[in-house]
Amino acid sequence: GAVVSQHPSWVICKSGTSVKIECRSLDFQATTMFWYRQFPKQSLMLMATSNEGSKATYEQGVEKDKFLINHASLTLSTLTVTSAHPEDSSFYICSAGGGRTEAFFGQGTRLTVV
Amino acid sequence: AQKVTQAQTEISVVEKEDVTLDCVYETRDTTYYLFWYKQPPSGELVFLIRRNSFDEQNEISGRYSWNFQKSTSSFNFTITASQVVDSAVYFCALSAGGAIQGAQKLVFGQGTRLTINP
């Protein structure tokens, strides 16, 4: 199957700083990518849909000014958690579509804000 | 709106027992896709199976089997002769991308934490 690479795998940052997470489709072009968040022992919840060359679409309750998404190329989407706080500590995982019938997931990023 | 329910939060069995993980879904789409993923402690999602709404045939892959029944909106997953390495969180998911994004966008169930004891 297609490969989606996410970087970094884990990051620890101080409260108030910003963190950027990258999601790359390595062997295919992705006009749309998706960002999910998973709190400990909970399910994966869709945060936003990243659209190449246009604004991201955020799910209800997700602050667009806090979670900045940039999809500047067909192979790269970035999620920046701005002014991170301990409650933003979570597992973030991206996916990119392989046509209408499947999605390929990155390895995920475990963010810890101290 | 799409919804996936995995009523079993945690299951614990002894090795070699068979175990079934339940998944019930809701959707108004006539064309949709159902998935099962395994999430080990490392966090990555391991793809297990994809099934489209027009294919109700049960599938078997080694010790894994899936039972898809549209009449009851269920897509259950059975592990036969479980092994310790099967211990993980298992998620059932449903496509939520509609006509354009299809299965690229998913709605996940709450997950079932499966523990296989030696």
Side-chain angles (χ1 to χ4, degrees), chain A residues 36 38 43 46 99-102, chain B residues 33 39 50 98-99 103-104 106 109:
Chain A
Y36 296 81
Q38 184 183 28
S43 185
L46 180 66
R100 288 191 65 256
T101 62
E102 59 190 329
Chain B
Y33 297 86
Q39 187 178 46
R50 177 185 70 233
Q104 294 184 34
L106 299 179

Side-chain angles (χ1 to χ4, degrees), chain B residues 19-97:
Chain B
V19 58
T20 296
L21 283 61
D22 298 332
C23 173
V24 175
Y25 64 93
E26 297 176 29
T27 182
R28 292 185 178 180
D29 293 343
T30 53
T31 301
Y32 53 89
Y33 297 86
L34 293 161
F35 299 78
W36 274 95
Y37 289 91
K38 174 181 181 180
Q39 187 178 46
S42 55
E44 79 271 20
L45 289 176
V46 178
F47 169 82
L48 296 178
I49 190 172
R50 177 185 70 233
R51 177 62 90 218
N52 73 55
S53 51
F54 299 106
D55 183 1
E56 285 193 74
Q57 281 191 343
N58 292 332
E59 180 156 339
I60 299 175
S61 177
R63 296 184 296 106
Y64 296 170
S65 62
W66 292 268
N67 185 304
F68 177 28
Q69 293 195 352
K70 288 179 73 171
S71 61
T72 56
S73 297
S74 65
F75 186 42
N76 297 336
F77 172 33
T78 298
I79 301 175
T80 303
S82 60
Q83 299 177 2
V84 173
V85 294
D86 296 325
S87 297
V89 179
Y90 290 85
F91 288 98
C92 180
L94 169 68
S95 59

Side-chain angles (χ1 to χ4, degrees), chain A residues 40-62:
Chain A
K41 295 190 176 184
Q42 295 190 25
S43 185
L44 291 89
M45 299 298 292
L46 180 66
M47 297 176 65
T49 301
S50 173
N51 304 299
E52 188 269 335
S54 64
K55 291 182 179 180
T57 305
Y58 291 83
E59 296 298 303
Q60 191 173 8
V62 178

